[in-house]
Amino acid sequence: MTVTYKNQWGRSLALLTLLLLMGCEDPKPTPPVPGKEDPIVQVVVPGAYGVPGGTQVYNADRHQISTLECPDGTLTFRLLDPGERKVLSLYGIPSQLREGEHISFRFRTMVNGYTLQSEEYTDVLVLKLTPDGIWLKKNESTFFVLSR
């Protein structure tokens, strides 16, 4: 296909449009600046924040938490609400994590055995690791706090 421009303005506009389209991908979360802690790590309540269907967080009066290391070398995190017969699952998380790396995993919400939400998260930043928790960040509004 050949495109002919009658003036410099049309050529410049086409080039600008092409450059903008090439740069329009889902940005990866940036690792925190050394010495400056990301505000997300201040969140200590386990759960999935900013996910489709709404934020789902642990409530000690209603929920049970389980973390399972699977034989395939992955972790599964579950938040169970027996009263609502609801299960939030994050699975396929590598069990050998390092701060600063990007990982992929699956997220699912089920009620009465039926899947309500199912998402695959890619390019998720491992923000912080402690003996008691894992902080994963997709972007500024979607992140996960997991207990070990």
Side-chain angles (χ1 to χ4, degrees):
M1 177 170 95
T2 303
V3 179
T4 306
Y5 299 100
K6 295 186 185 222
N7 60 33
Q8 184 64 30
W9 172 249
R11 190 171 308 145
S12 297
L13 184 60
L15 181 59
L16 178 61
T17 303
L18 179 63
L19 289 173
L20 287 173
L21 288 173
M22 289 173 57
C24 291
E25 64 179 77
D26 191 19
K28 290 183 182 178
T30 54
V33 176
K36 184 178 178 188
E37 191 170 62
D38 191 303
I40 290 172
V41 301
Q42 299 300 315
V43 177
V44 295
V45 178
Y49 294 81
V51 294
T55 295
Q56 307 283 322
V57 297
Y58 175 70
N59 176 335
D61 294 332
R62 306 179 52 116
H63 298 126
Q64 301 170 9
I65 292 180
S66 70
T67 304
L68 174 68
E69 188 165 350
C70 302
D72 67 355
T74 62
L75 297 175
T76 297
F77 171 83
R78 291 189 186 130
L79 181 65
L80 308 155
D81 185 334
E84 290 187 20
R85 301 178 69 181
K86 183 176 186 179
V87 180
L88 173 143
S89 301
L90 282 83
Y91 56 97
I93 300 168
S95 61
Q96 300 298 316
L97 296 170
R98 290 185 315 270
E99 287 182 11
E101 73 178 327
H102 289 85
I103 64 168
S104 299
F105 58 87
R106 301 279 309 168
F107 169 82
R108 180 174 53 206
T109 302
M110 297 179 73
V111 174
N112 289 325
Y114 295 99
T115 299
L116 299 180
Q117 295 287 331
S118 182
E119 302 281 331
E120 181 171 2
Y121 286 92
T122 59
D123 293 323
V124 178
L125 175 66
V126 179
L127 195 56
K128 183 177 180 181
L129 299 169
T130 68
D132 299 323
I134 301 169
W135 284 258
L136 305 172
K137 179 180 178 180
K138 176 62 180 167
N139 55 43
E140 297 303 318
S141 60
T142 304
F143 59 95
F144 306 87
V145 179
L146 311 178
S147 63
R148 290 193 194 217

